[in-house]
Amino acid sequence: MRILHTSDWHLGRSFHRVNMLGAQAEFIGHLVATAREREVDAVVVSGDVYDRAVPPLAAVELFDDALHRLADLGVPTVMISGNHDSARRLGVGAGLIGRAGIHLRTAPAACADPVVLADDHGDVAFYGLPYLEPALVKDEFGVKRAGHEAVLGAAMDRVRADLAARTLGTRSVVLAHAFVTGGEASDSERDITIGGVAAVPSGVFDGVDYVALGHLHGSQAISERVRYSGSPLPYSFSESAHRKSMWLVDLGGSGEIEAERIDCPVPRPLARVRGDIETLLADPELARHEEAWVEATLTDPVRPDDPMARLCERFPHTLSLAFDPERSPEDPDVSYAQRLKGRSDQQIAEDFVTHVRGAGPDVPEQAVLRAAFDTVRTDDTVREVAR
């Protein structure tokens, strides 16, 4: 069975104020053309279809167009909701849409209710695990501690139990939206940390033939059978080195895997340039970036006059401008942002406690801070989904 694995469309998202809807529409066309030309048997979309719980109308219209084009193609499609989606909104009409061969899996309780497709070798069961927010689904899965590994592990126990009850030789594909240990993150994914932990071990998915992951925006293979497709478009300059693609996976009769990367259309390359402004304006080596979307970091010791306008004369698509003067770490003028770079909210809060009372928080106090951050993040998620 030939499977086209994609995820993290983030319909409705912009890139540094650049409207990406046209590029997203071009990707949908590329997806449909690839499914037709490469004779794909199933399309899987592993979450974050939209960029937010209540997407703009234009994004909903594009999603509707994608559903119609996939249905017209006659290729079964399985989709799950991600942490940016409202699972309940995305799942509206799922039963009716399923009659057209578009199978939406957004309810945690239905994670062990697969979409079963068949090829010459027998059945393939597609299990859709929507994003499982631990605090919201721990009761559903009967876990005592709200953590990503616990709820995903419980969901996978249900999947394995269902699979064991099926005809011997039934192959399996799991769609999941999670941060799996070993994956490389970028700046554009929303933090899903709970209890100081965001990642789950890949072993939680043991026992299935292929795991189609979403959430991380870089295409990558955690193992032969566990892969991220990545987002089809860039959503931060941290993705400047990414090769945006989908996975074309051939699942053999005995569960063997062959995977090929299918490149996605690139609306414009990304470039990160760094140096003093005179160097950036004159260096011939930078000519290759003149038509790219550019993030420029200026290292001038004194902020130059009108830097954005000057940079745009050479790099007309400059979207981001940062200042990082070359100073020693001990320099009192080193920016607050630089001092905080790379530090988590938890670490910053602990540093503040140390600063105001002369001693850092002890273990119980660290636990209180961690619980507070977890509660705020969970409350934000609940409020967004409830809108």
Side-chain angles (χ1 to χ4, degrees), residues 22 33 71 92 96 133 153 188 227 260 269 271 289 326-327 340 365 374-375:
V92 169
L96 183 62
E133 176 61 45
S188 52
R227 298 172 185 264
E260 174 189 352
H289 300 316
E326 292 184 342
R327 300 187 177 112
L340 298 185
E365 290 171 333
D374 289 348
T375 299

Side-chain angles (χ1 to χ4, degrees), residues 36-272:
R36 180 179 61 249
E37 293 164 6
R38 299 301 297 267
E39 299 181 336
V40 167
D41 299 304
V43 173
V44 299
V45 186
S46 299
D48 282 354
V49 174
Y50 292 121
D51 188 56
R52 54 184 183 268
V54 185
L57 178 59
V60 177
E61 291 173 340
L62 180 55
F63 179 60
D64 181 65
D65 178 63
L67 294 183
H68 278 85
R69 295 174 73 176
L70 288 167
D72 290 344
L73 197 61
V75 176
T77 300
V78 185
M79 294 183 175
I80 62 172
S81 50
N83 62 303
H84 280 250
D85 299 308
S86 166
R88 294 179 65 181
R89 289 175 184 272
L90 187 64
V92 169
L96 183 62
I97 294 170
R99 298 179 187 178
I102 309 294
H103 305 280
L104 295 170
R105 290 293 187 265
T106 63
C111 66
D113 178 20
V115 177
V116 180
L117 305 177
D119 62 10
D120 293 340
H121 302 286
D123 288 346
V124 180
F126 289 79
Y127 296 92
L129 276 59
Y131 172 66
L132 303 175
E133 176 61 45
L136 302 182
V137 303
K138 65 182 180 69
D139 293 337
E140 165 64 35
F141 291 106
V143 299
K144 294 181 179 179
R145 185 175 179 181
H148 291 291
E149 184 175 357
V151 296
L152 263 176
M156 283 301 303
D157 286 344
R158 294 186 184 183
V159 167
R160 284 185 283 263
D162 180 85
L163 187 59
R166 294 186 176 274
T167 304
L168 186 65
T170 298
R171 289 155 292 158
S172 54
V173 175
V174 165
L175 290 71
H177 197 86
F179 190 163
V180 175
T181 303
E184 183 177 344
S186 62
D187 293 342
S188 52
E189 297 109 8
R190 183 180 293 171
D191 181 30
I192 59 171
T193 300
I194 285 289
V197 178
V200 299
S202 61
V204 77
F205 298 108
D206 284 352
V208 297
D209 294 303
Y210 183 70
V211 182
L213 293 174
H215 181 57
L216 299 186
H217 288 181
S219 178
Q220 51 200 296
I222 304 300
S223 68
E224 179 189 21
R225 298 184 181 277
V226 182
R227 298 172 185 264
Y228 283 99
S229 67
S231 62
L233 293 165
Y235 293 113
S236 72
F237 277 101
S238 66
E239 302 169 51
S240 60
H242 286 187
R243 173 187 165 193
K244 295 301 183 181
S245 58
M246 304 176 285
W247 285 111
L248 187 68
V249 177
D250 286 321
L251 178 61
S254 300
E256 62 271 23
I257 295 288
E258 291 185 10
E260 174 189 352
R261 287 179 74 175
I262 304 295
D263 290 331
C264 295
V266 178
R268 194 177 293 278
L270 306 186
R272 298 177 114 172

